[in-house]
Amino acid sequence: MTTETYPVPTTSWSGAAVEVALDAAGWRAALLALDRPCHVVRRGPQVGLTTGGQVLSGGLGEYELLASVAPLRPESLGSAAFRAAHGVAYAYHAGAMANGISSAELVIALGQAKLLGSFGAGGLPPQQIESAIHTIQAALPNGPYAFNLIHSPNEEALERRAVELFLERGVQTIEASAFLALTGHVVRYRVAGLRRTPDGQIEATNKVIAKLSRGEVAAAFLGPAPARILGELQAAGLITAEQAALAAHVPMADDITVEADSGGHTDNRPLVCLLPAIQSQRDEARVQHGYPHLVRVGAGGGIGTPAAALATFMMGADYIVTGSVNQACLESGSSPWVRAQLAAAEMADVMMAPAADMFEMGVKLQVLKRGTLFPVRAQKLYEIYRAYDSLDAIPAAERSKLERQIFRRPLAEVWGDTEAFFAGRDPEQLRQAEANPKRKMALVFRWYLGLSSRWANSGEPGRETDYQIWCGPAMGAFNSWVRGSHLEQPEERRVVEVARQLMVGAAYQYRTQQLQMLGIELPGELKYYKPQ
Ligand code: FMN
């Protein structure tokens, strides 16, 4: 036989009864007061939440103290070093979206709220990038902002010109993406910003946030710039001998964004697998190269809810990156039609489809399938490309179907436009196409793949079924989270509000999770954060 014992509480709570919330609204308010501690207290049968009063050691208070959680402001999530380095309020980065979908307006709105956004320079001609630099710098003379430097294997001149512009105009942060290895251009950007300070330290004024999803690319950006590339840059007079020497002691990137299954180009890796692998690579690189600071590792891909944001921070991410959810915001360079489709998307409304830039290699990217036939049509083009060696080899019936349904004009006309496009921009492409009919077919098909994303952004009337809308499952997750709140409506979605709600929600859910681990079972509607 056993007898039950009743321990004297070692801590108790003392305060006015009016400070103890007993109903759901009061509990929510207490949990939402993120800059105050939150106590769960009991007197008799009543359990309440409070953010006031006093915790006493010993049982002298009027209330028994069941659990307490410390304050946690959204500003505290992630790395303080990231916030300090980029001059931002949150460890949060809105990743680049090509063709100016991450528009100057979007980057400025974030920057004015002290949040980091990357301008979507990918796919834009240099004049448009230059004009965006001008607009963004005028609005945010002290930042924060970043520009995307996207690796451009097919049109190397674009990558070179972007770096020249960034250096000429003093753009001090870039988000470098789609790199398979380091190129002279990205190394030049990084190293041209190195200098020795009067106290003998090395200052890296050109910050690089490298976005990647593969270990070998991470290794390149975690290491110093390769001697071979430094030698070439120095010989060409693009960096000084001192900068080349300093580069041996500095990693290529300040920050590495680990990109899991995301909208647009993606390797579809799960965040929970990829992030720890790159984090340990980062730790090893620090030991190997003897860096005094850690390269920060953030993560994106799939973040569309506070739960996802919190999970990423709890895995040790220094910052989080969003993409898909920002395209659905008013400031994005997309069209109202696209924003409406995005706002209605479910998580399964996305699929992989052939990418315009690396079409011939069979590279795919993640797009919305809701409301558009683009993914199916692009896949059809890829199958035809694989099956035949030239446009003339396509059977007549098949060719006429393509001309009617997809191109809506004769392929000869499409080739005419393609020639005109490349004549000024990159005549080498035309020379290759003349020599190789399969290459010519690829360029004609890429006409459709390239224009379909522009039609989506401009809202080209009558072409809705061909809109190419890059989007990942984060969009559907976001939509189900905001259902019933002000953010359900496309016209209410603004990038700063989305960032704020995600970060506040992550801080809120951190505290409710902690309470759960302390044995406090909150009702479902309080456990999870809904946009307030
Ligand atoms: N990342 C880039 O580095 N350069 C781009 O040009 C680019 N374009 C994108 C366009 C769209 C519409 C979307 C949705 C994403 C794009 N991304 C690009 C990736 C985002 O910057 C971000 O890393 C990614 O969307 C995060 O994953 P999520 O979509 O699951 O939020």
Side-chain angles (χ1 to χ4, degrees):
M1 198 169 78
T2 58
T3 51
E4 300 210 314
T5 57
Y6 295 87
V8 176
T10 52
T11 51
S12 59
W13 182 84
S14 171
V18 291
E19 287 187 285
V20 178
L22 298 172
D23 60 0
W27 280 35
R28 188 188 309 281
L31 289 165
L32 270 172
L34 295 168
D35 50 0
R36 315 257 326 144
C38 179
H39 310 294
V40 185
V41 298
R42 177 163 65 192
R43 186 163 67 176
Q46 284 185 327
V47 175
L49 259 62
T50 178
T51 58
Q54 253 190 310
V55 173
L56 303 177
S57 54
L60 292 177
E62 306 87 59
Y63 289 77
E64 187 186 341
L65 182 68
L66 299 181
S68 287
V69 287
L72 178 71
R73 299 168 68 232
E75 290 83 352
S76 308
L77 291 165
S79 153
F82 178 89
R83 294 191 296 273
H86 296 288
V88 290
Y90 293 155
Y92 182 98
H93 178 197
M97 294 185 285
N99 294 338
I101 296 177
S102 294
S103 60
E105 189 189 343
L106 181 148
V107 174
I108 292 169
L110 287 163
Q112 284 170 341
K114 285 272 163 251
L115 298 176
L116 183 65
S118 292
F119 178 77
L124 294 183
Q127 314 82 277
Q128 278 187 43
I129 301 178
E130 189 167 12
S131 137
I133 295 176
H134 188 73
T135 309
I136 291 171
Q137 287 183 335
L140 300 171
N142 302 313
Y145 62 83
F147 274 76
N148 189 203
L149 175 68
I150 194 151
H151 176 48
S152 175
N154 295 326
E155 287 183 81
E156 192 245 340
L158 288 178
E159 193 178 321
R160 176 175 4 99
R161 187 66 195 125
V163 165
E164 285 166 0
L165 281 174
F166 299 155
L167 292 174
E168 280 161 27
R169 302 277 162 180
V171 169
Q172 293 196 337
T173 309
I174 62 161
E175 181 185 16
S177 54
F179 284 84
L180 306 170
L182 294 175
T183 62
H185 306 304
V186 69
V187 172
R188 176 185 173 194
Y189 174 80
R190 176 64 162 171
V191 177
L194 296 181
R195 64 180 197 98
R196 197 180 279 286
T197 59
D199 63 355
Q201 309 275 322
I202 304 172
E203 189 179 53
T205 49
N206 292 343
K207 298 191 191 70
V208 174
I209 302 173
K211 189 160 67 189
L212 47 90
S213 49
R214 294 190 185 186
E216 64 275 17
V217 184
F221 278 98
L222 285 166
R228 178 187 57 79
I229 298 183
L230 290 171
E232 288 165 9
L233 291 173
Q234 197 187 328
L238 298 173
I239 57 170
T240 65
E242 185 186 30
Q243 285 168 336
L246 295 179
H249 308 284
V250 178
M252 267 301 297
D254 303 277
D255 299 280
I256 301 270
T257 299
V258 172
E259 189 170 63
D261 191 16
S262 70
H265 285 283
T266 175
D267 279 347
N268 306 104
R269 299 275 174 261
L271 187 71
V272 287
C273 300
L274 193 56
L275 179 56
I278 307 274
Q279 283 167 327
S280 32
Q281 230 185 313
R282 177 268 313 267
D283 296 342
E284 285 159 19
R286 183 188 188 178
V287 175
Q288 184 191 344
H289 300 291
Y291 301 137
H293 319 286
L294 270 185
V295 174
R296 294 172 292 264
V297 174
I303 301 179
T305 59
L310 176 60
T312 310
F313 283 123
M314 288 298 100
M315 287 182 70
D318 290 315
Y319 58 98
I320 58 168
V321 175
T322 55
S324 293
V325 296
N326 301 319
Q327 183 175 209
C329 291
L330 287 178
E331 301 91 341
S332 92
S334 205
S335 58
W337 191 95
V338 168
R339 284 195 283 267
Q341 293 298 318
L342 290 171
E346 306 278 342
M347 208 175 327
D349 285 338
V350 290
M351 67 183 280
M352 299 301 288
D357 49 356
M358 287 178 266
F359 176 74
E360 296 93 316
M361 291 152 73
V363 172
K364 292 187 165 187
L365 39 64
Q366 192 148 233
V367 296
L368 189 70
K369 63 179 178 189
R370 187 192 167 83
T372 163
L373 294 174
F374 169 80
V376 184
R377 290 181 170 171
Q379 185 57 32
K380 180 79 195 158
L381 291 180
Y382 184 64
E383 283 160 16
I384 291 177
Y385 173 75
R386 290 294 305 264
Y388 305 104
D389 284 333
S390 69
L391 290 172
D392 293 336
I394 303 172
E398 188 82 87
R399 183 177 170 128
S400 127
K401 207 161 131 194
L402 289 185
E403 292 180 330
R404 254 193 350 268
Q405 289 183 346
I406 301 188
F407 292 93
R408 299 196 196 166
R409 54 203 297 224
L411 291 184
E413 269 184 31
V414 176
W415 173 241
D417 278 9
T418 309
E419 269 185 309
F421 174 79
F422 281 111
R425 187 170 159 136
D426 190 357
E428 176 53 28
Q429 302 278 345
L430 296 177
R431 276 189 288 277
Q432 288 175 16
E434 291 306 342
N436 177 355
K438 190 149 179 128
R439 178 97 184 118
K440 179 171 170 180
M441 174 162 53
L443 291 188
V444 166
F445 288 1
R446 278 169 51 188
W447 174 93
Y448 174 78
L449 294 161
L451 276 183
S452 54
S453 47
R454 291 175 199 275
W455 291 332
N457 293 344
S458 64
E460 177 79 11
R463 271 290 187 178
E464 289 81 357
T465 50
D466 292 296
Y467 285 1
Q468 176 180 176
I469 306 163
W470 302 311
C471 179
M475 191 72 254
F478 178 88
N479 289 335
S480 37
W481 168 51
V482 302
R483 198 157 293 138
S485 78
H486 64 293
L487 287 178
E488 183 170 355
Q489 305 308 323
E491 55 279 7
E492 292 291 327
R493 296 184 182 192
R494 293 189 171 272
V495 275
V496 173
E497 174 66 355
V498 165
R500 198 179 66 82
Q501 292 290 349
L502 285 171
M503 293 293 284
V504 167
Y508 177 98
Q509 284 189 207
Y510 175 79
R511 301 214 304 174
T512 58
Q513 271 303 110
Q514 262 196 319
L515 286 177
Q516 171 152 0
M517 288 186 262
L518 292 168
I520 307 296
E521 203 50 64
L522 292 168
E525 74 272 17
L526 289 180
K527 207 159 148 182
Y528 306 106
Y529 176 85
K530 274 282 189 186
Q532 307 285 317

